Amino acid sequence: MKFSKEFKEAVLHLSEKEKDKLLLRLLKKDKKLVDQLYFELLDDKNVEERRQELEEHVKKQSRSIAKEAKSLNQLKVLTSFLSGDISAHVRTTKDKFGEISLNILMLTTVIKNAEELFEETHPMHAQKFCVYVVARSFKILVLLQKMHEDILLEFEETLPELGKAIASQHVLMKTAINHGLDVNWLIVENNIPEDIAEIQKEVKSMGFLR
């Protein structure tokens, strides 16, 4: 939302008491902003500590939902909920590294623990979950491409692990191919295309990744 210059000046000229009241009223309506301010002003844990806590949560929940889900469709829903926890962490802490590492961890763990579901599910009924995995993998690659090359070294083991997990399931691999994702971008070191964001955009424009 854009504000006019006059409006900004009017707000800045409010008394300190009026500004305090206005701020508290606005905070009551914006939980996301409250979480951000709490983290920045009061939280006794830094970004790395909060990320480590969430890593344990993601590992545990990824295994759990993969074992508890009755179908890949249900697994897709449950994975989306878990992804919401990661998004909330990133929104609160601005943890760009964690956005990548936690999503890799979640997808890899879920896929590895859902072998029975893949075996029992007809390919047609696996489509939603598979497209979800491919779309998230594309997003991970786009985020990685924006990072400094030194940071990429931190993912030289976990990124290929995700690629191999995708390749291990025929229906997942077929979905990746059909949606323009080359799994070698994940598996082979320093193999992410420089124009990965444009590739992702083009694939979406063709109606894929949905």
Side-chain angles (χ1 to χ4, degrees), residues 88-104:
H89 165 79
V90 174
R91 189 168 52 242
T92 299
T93 64
K94 305 295 188 292
D95 183 10
K96 294 182 179 180
F97 182 94
E99 183 174 13
I100 299 170
S101 66
L102 292 167
N103 272 289
I104 291 175

Side-chain angles (χ1 to χ4, degrees), residues 68-166:
E68 293 176 3
K70 304 301 182 184
S71 68
L72 285 178
N73 278 339
Q74 185 183 25
L75 181 59
K76 188 264 182 185
V77 174
L78 296 175
T79 305
S80 297
F81 288 148
L82 182 55
S83 176
D85 294 339
I86 297 174
S87 296
H89 165 79
V90 174
R91 189 168 52 242
T92 299
T93 64
K94 305 295 188 292
D95 183 10
K96 294 182 179 180
F97 182 94
E99 183 174 13
I100 299 170
S101 66
L102 292 167
N103 272 289
I104 291 175
L105 175 64
M106 176 187 72
L107 293 178
T108 304
T109 308
V110 166
I111 294 169
K112 285 185 173 182
N113 285 273
E115 290 184 357
E116 289 186 9
L117 284 179
F118 279 106
E119 292 173 0
E120 297 168 357
T121 304
H122 189 280
M124 185 174 65
H125 298 144
Q127 186 70 2
K128 288 184 179 180
F129 176 75
C130 292
V131 171
Y132 176 83
V133 171
V134 172
R136 300 299 291 188
S137 298
F138 254 116
K139 183 178 180 181
I140 288 168
L141 291 171
V142 171
L143 291 171
L144 274 170
Q145 187 61 36
K146 297 177 182 178
M147 303 291 277
H148 189 278
E149 58 183 13
D150 289 344
I151 299 296
L152 297 180
L153 296 174
E154 300 287 335
F155 300 97
E156 62 182 1
E157 293 184 6
T158 57
L159 189 63
E161 191 176 359
L162 172 58
K164 291 172 184 176
I166 293 173

